Amino acid sequence: MKNIILTLLLSGFVSNLWAQNKITFTIQANKPTATVASTMWGLFFEDINLGADGGLYAELVKNRSFEFDTPLMGWKINSAKDVMYGFYFGSDIQLINQPDKAATNPRFIRVALHKTKKGELSLTNEGFRGMGIKKNLRYEFSVFYRQQTATAMLHAELITEKGDIIGSAVLAPEQTDNRWHKVEMSLTALATEPKANLRLWFEGSGIVDLDMISLFPTDTWKGRKGGLRADLVQMLADMKPGFVRFPGGCIVEGRDLAQRYQWKKTIGPLEERKLIINRWNNEVKTRPVPDYFQSFGLGFLEYFQLCEDIGAEPLPILNCGMACQVNTAELIPLESLDPYVQDALDLIEFANGDGSTPWGKLRADLGHPAPFQLKMLGVGNENFGLPYVERFKRFQQAIQRQYPSVKLVGSTGLLSSGEMFETTNADLRKLKVDIVDEHNYSAPQWFLQNAGRYDHYDRSSTTKVFVGEYAAQSVGMTNPTNKNNWRTALAEAAYMTGLERNADIVQMASYAPLLAHVDGWQWKPDLIWFDNLGVMATPNYYVQQLFGANKGNQVVPMLDKNKLPVTGQDSLYASATLDKAASELIVKVVNAGGKAQSIEANIDGLRKLPLTAKVIMLQNNDLEAENSFTSPAIIAPIESIVNVQNKRLKVDLKGYSFVVMRIKL
Ligand code: AHR
């Protein structure tokens, strides 16, 4: 094939500092080495940092069913009487607990009214660090009630931090058959308020029982009732993820097995989804979150739906019969593991079975007759060692027998090096596991040094790699002063060129954690930060987004001195892919050094000369630079179209830059 040399004058980002040395690469666009899996870049989702409750799940009422360990947490009773030292000692609002009648949702409140007037007795919910309320938006209030006389009235009010009323509606429960009924009404907000509360005044006479007190915005993702925050889902969709791994993370394991994630308890009517404590409630001692529970309003059906909506493959991770090995490390004996394995088999049937199967029918009854086409399943999160491998084997045997086409993801533990990793990895590979899950939370330097990690993996192995959790830690793992700065994002970009170059081995990768509420986080750094009204993309987010949106489907060599991959020579890191459908060559280059550099590349195998190239650049001279809610675009993609002149690809890279180039073939 003819060797054609091109020059691109990338004037949009030409640096004033023309570098001394010129570095020449070869891109063998005519010699694809690997297919880039459609799943290559994806999302890791866990309910950490108020990621689900208080985040993606748009419910605004915290502890809506009074099932937190402290049953009135998040609620405040306001009464004109019966208050001493700020505490309510009255009996007009009682908390009833009836586990014999409703095992999954035993508590509710009983309100006794005695010609009560509005202004005398109310209950206020504080939301998740307040409620984000938007002017002119309609909100749906709903409640389950039970009564024998229709003499009570409920006044729902949205109130600002200062106490001003910015929305109200009145409800008169009608049914008097002493059974539970759900009733709904709308409130339209008169003003925007980031930290509103919901207040319920009671009026009238008689006794009314209340449960599942709920408030949702109507601007949810796809306008779904009781759905997800549209702004957050849009951020996820914009990453063009190939998969979503859910529901975690450590919450899969639980501190103990009682607290493990059990998917079957997260589907069906909301009021029957049994709430449990979130492991992140008390996991990080310096960041306790006593009000962090899992309502499972975002449950497995919703996760599958989310994947379908954003075109990502679902990758559920299930408990393998082991609690977190850095907590209790509880084990289910092998002879008692069957229910856990059955959960996995049932999940596959729930996702893929037709209406003639019990679990497939349930999915259809829940509103999704079409199968979700589940292709992958993870067994265990960050589990390792012989007990794990023994349990994994049981799952593998059962799943392969019944669902041979479902690929299994096995865990290699918490770290991607060291004895535990080596032995677990080797043992899983002996079992010919389809995919091993590696986790990396290390210093930015580690990511730079490991850009070539997968260049050296055994290519004869049938086991593929899922880099299931990674993020550069600016200070140290779990350090609360970690930052999402440009240093970390640039190092991740460099590392990702190595993942992409080795797409024959690395078939999936996801940054972690994904979401964090500014007022409710436990773990830093995180990809996307949000508050009650808005969202902020980190530089790390833009790196992920650029890889996701510019994936390509075939890897082509980009070589230094015609033989070496670009893994840090002159502080440069690079990879190249072809997008067959768009007929484009996609080149990604990271300049991890502070000096501008000039690179040239010969592109082998072009049939005609491209006239233009699209260039997308992330850059900042300051590695400590970060985005913020007030300055969200300190580091953000800058696009330009540049003319291609002459016959050489010539790129002037600014210091500390990441550049994606799309060249029409
Ligand atoms: O991403 C945060 C946590 O890091 C995950 O829950 C866990 O899998 C890992 O240790």
Side-chain angles (χ1 to χ4, degrees):
M1 188 70 77
K2 210 165 115 200
N3 186 0
I4 302 169
I5 304 174
L6 298 172
T7 297
L8 293 181
L9 279 180
L10 303 172
S11 51
F13 64 102
V14 169
S15 165
N16 295 331
L17 300 166
W18 183 258
Q20 300 291 313
N21 59 329
K22 227 169 258 180
I23 304 147
T24 307
F25 299 116
T26 306
I27 299 170
Q28 297 173 329
N30 54 345
K31 288 192 183 154
T33 52
T35 299
V36 183
S38 61
T39 52
M40 184 72 197
W41 310 115
L43 305 178
F44 161 94
F45 183 85
E46 176 170 24
D47 191 2
I48 181 173
N49 306 316
L50 305 193
D53 286 300
L56 195 57
Y57 184 50
E59 172 65 271
L60 293 169
V61 175
K62 183 169 73 183
N63 192 13
R64 63 186 172 192
S65 61
F66 309 102
E67 300 300 333
F68 282 17
D69 291 353
T70 304
L72 284 178
M73 189 178 259
W75 294 96
K76 191 165 167 250
I77 297 172
N78 313 283
S79 168
K81 52 182 187 157
D82 303 323
V83 174
M84 266 196 305
Y85 310 115
F87 292 99
Y88 176 69
F89 289 101
S91 55
D92 289 344
I93 295 185
Q94 296 177 341
L95 181 85
I96 311 288
N97 190 355
Q98 274 193 319
D100 52 331
K101 298 259 168 60
T104 55
N105 183 4
R107 298 200 191 109
F108 57 91
I109 56 161
R110 174 157 293 164
V111 184
L113 302 174
H114 323 275
K115 295 189 182 159
T116 306
K117 295 194 189 69
K118 183 175 179 237
E120 290 179 349
L121 183 66
S122 73
L123 202 54
T124 302
N125 188 275
E126 67 188 21
F128 298 89
R129 312 299 183 273
M131 299 174 180
I133 297 294
K134 296 175 200 156
K135 186 175 178 181
N136 293 333
L137 186 65
R138 197 166 58 78
Y139 290 81
E140 281 168 350
F141 169 88
S142 68
V143 61
F144 280 60
Y145 74 90
R146 183 171 70 172
Q147 63 183 5
Q148 294 184 39
T149 57
T151 45
M153 303 252 282
L154 260 62
H155 300 262
E157 292 176 345
L158 298 173
I159 51 175
T160 64
E161 249 186 323
K162 287 191 199 141
D164 298 333
I165 299 168
I166 54 168
S168 63
V170 188
L171 184 77
E174 287 174 1
Q175 305 294 330
T176 54
D177 54 5
N178 206 24
R179 289 165 180 267
W180 285 105
H181 297 276
K182 183 178 178 183
V183 66
E184 296 176 329
M185 66 174 171
S186 290
L187 296 86
T188 297
L190 305 171
T192 293
E193 165 68 34
K195 291 192 182 282
N197 282 188
L198 172 71
R199 182 164 62 196
L200 286 181
W201 288 110
F202 303 106
E203 187 186 352
S205 294
I207 289 177
V208 58
D209 294 339
L210 301 174
D211 201 359
M212 296 296 290
I213 301 173
S214 168
L215 185 72
F216 270 91
T218 53
D219 65 346
T220 54
W221 173 251
K222 290 189 181 282
R224 290 203 184 100
K225 233 176 148 58
L228 307 182
R229 245 179 86 162
D231 57 346
L232 293 182
V233 179
Q234 192 59 57
M235 290 288 283
L236 306 186
D238 290 347
M239 290 172 71
K240 309 264 182 284
F243 67 91
V244 181
R245 167 198 172 135
F246 58 87
C250 290
I251 64 166
V252 170
E253 303 155 89
R255 292 182 68 77
D256 56 25
L257 285 164
Q259 288 178 21
R260 74 188 190 279
Y261 196 101
Q262 299 183 61
W263 75 268
K264 287 176 181 167
K265 297 187 175 182
T266 73
I267 55 173
L270 288 182
E271 63 279 15
E272 291 170 19
R273 300 185 192 180
K274 188 171 167 50
L275 173 142
I276 63 169
I277 193 169
N278 188 307
R279 167 217 163 93
W280 297 104
N281 181 306
N282 47 17
E283 182 65 27
V284 183
K285 299 303 167 220
T286 51
R287 305 276 313 169
V289 199
D291 57 344
Y292 204 0
F293 289 78
Q294 296 177 81
S295 72
F296 299 117
L298 173 53
F300 257 45
L301 186 74
E302 290 79 15
Y303 279 123
F304 279 118
Q305 183 66 69
L306 171 66
C307 293
E308 187 176 271
D309 288 351
I310 62 177
E313 296 288 347
L315 171 54
I317 307 281
L318 296 185
N319 187 292
C320 62
M322 300 172 77
C324 178
Q325 285 162 271
V326 295
N327 293 146
T328 64
E330 276 181 355
L331 282 179
I332 290 294
L334 283 175
E335 62 274 19
S336 307
L337 196 63
D338 283 358
Y340 287 71
V341 176
Q342 194 59 48
D343 272 358
L345 296 172
D346 292 343
L347 178 63
I348 299 170
E349 187 178 292
F350 178 73
N352 295 351
D354 62 31
S356 67
T357 63
W359 288 100
K361 178 174 182 319
L362 179 61
R363 185 200 63 242
D365 292 348
L366 292 175
H368 202 285
F372 285 114
Q373 313 290 3
L374 177 69
K375 300 186 186 83
M376 304 174 285
L377 182 68
V379 176
N381 173 67
E382 292 198 339
N383 296 111
F384 56 85
L386 187 60
Y388 170 63
V389 176
E390 286 172 338
R391 281 159 185 76
F392 180 86
K393 207 168 155 182
R394 294 289 179 95
F395 279 81
Q396 191 187 37
Q397 284 163 350
I399 293 167
Q400 276 182 351
R401 204 177 308 127
Q402 219 169 311
Y403 300 106
S405 66
V406 172
K407 288 201 161 70
L408 289 188
V409 178
S411 157
T412 55
L414 293 87
L415 307 167
S416 62
S417 60
E419 198 192 327
M420 271 308 158
F421 168 76
E422 299 295 345
T423 52
T424 310
N425 189 28
D427 287 348
L428 287 176
R429 284 167 183 270
K430 273 187 216 140
L431 293 177
K432 297 208 176 306
V433 57
D434 301 297
I435 304 163
V436 286
D437 179 9
E438 297 184 4
H439 292 184
N440 293 308
Y441 293 103
S442 302
Q445 199 56 24
W446 184 96
F447 285 86
L448 295 176
Q449 285 162 353
N450 280 270
R453 175 183 172 102
Y454 299 101
D455 295 335
H456 312 294
Y457 263 47
D458 174 11
R459 298 207 125 66
S460 65
S461 170
T462 56
T463 299
K464 305 299 177 189
V465 172
F466 168 31
V467 186
E469 296 183 29
Y470 66 97
Q473 314 287 297
S474 65
V475 184
M477 186 172 166
T478 70
N479 192 303
T481 61
N482 277 333
K483 290 188 163 39
N484 282 104
N485 58 22
W486 183 223
R487 184 191 300 281
T488 59
L490 197 60
E492 287 152 10
Y495 174 69
M496 290 168 77
T497 62
L499 306 187
E500 184 170 85
R501 182 174 52 251
N502 290 286
D504 54 332
I505 287 173
V506 182
Q507 303 212 328
M508 308 168 79
S510 44
Y511 182 102
L514 182 63
L515 296 174
H517 190 298
V518 290
D519 297 326
W521 58 271
Q522 298 81 54
W523 181 295
K524 265 187 185 177
D526 304 287
L527 201 63
I528 299 166
W529 286 84
F530 62 93
D531 59 20
N532 291 343
L533 288 172
V535 60
M536 184 203 65
T538 60
N540 315 71
Y541 172 87
Y542 287 124
V543 165
Q544 294 288 324
Q545 191 195 35
L546 287 186
F547 271 87
N550 298 285
K551 180 158 52 75
N553 37 33
Q554 286 186 327
V555 180
V556 292
M558 178 160 177
L559 300 172
D560 177 20
K561 301 187 182 61
N562 259 322
K563 56 175 193 248
L564 295 173
V566 189
T567 57
Q569 303 92 306
D570 298 296
S571 300
L572 296 175
Y573 302 80
S575 57
T577 57
L578 296 176
D579 182 334
K580 291 301 248 185
S583 195
E584 286 179 75
L585 171 67
I586 306 171
V587 182
K588 302 185 182 83
V589 185
V590 170
N591 178 7
K595 275 198 194 149
Q597 306 227 44
S598 165
I599 66 164
E600 292 183 2
N602 304 330
I603 304 176
D604 291 352
L606 288 183
R607 262 187 239 111
K608 53 182 181 181
L609 296 184
L611 297 174
T612 59
K614 179 172 155 184
V615 179
I616 314 162
M617 178 181 67
L618 290 174
Q619 196 273 339
N620 201 289
N621 290 331
D622 179 6
L623 286 175
E624 304 312 312
E626 295 172 74
N627 288 340
S628 67
F629 278 82
T630 43
S631 302
I634 301 280
I635 299 123
I638 298 170
E639 279 192 26
S640 53
I641 300 286
V642 293
N643 295 326
V644 175
Q645 293 175 359
N646 302 330
K647 292 191 169 185
R648 261 148 87 224
L649 168 64
K650 182 173 147 193
V651 183
D652 294 345
L653 292 169
K654 285 187 173 186
Y656 302 137
S657 62
F658 169 42
V659 171
V660 178
M661 290 161 277
R662 297 193 69 117
I663 301 151
K664 273 266 178 239
L665 296 177

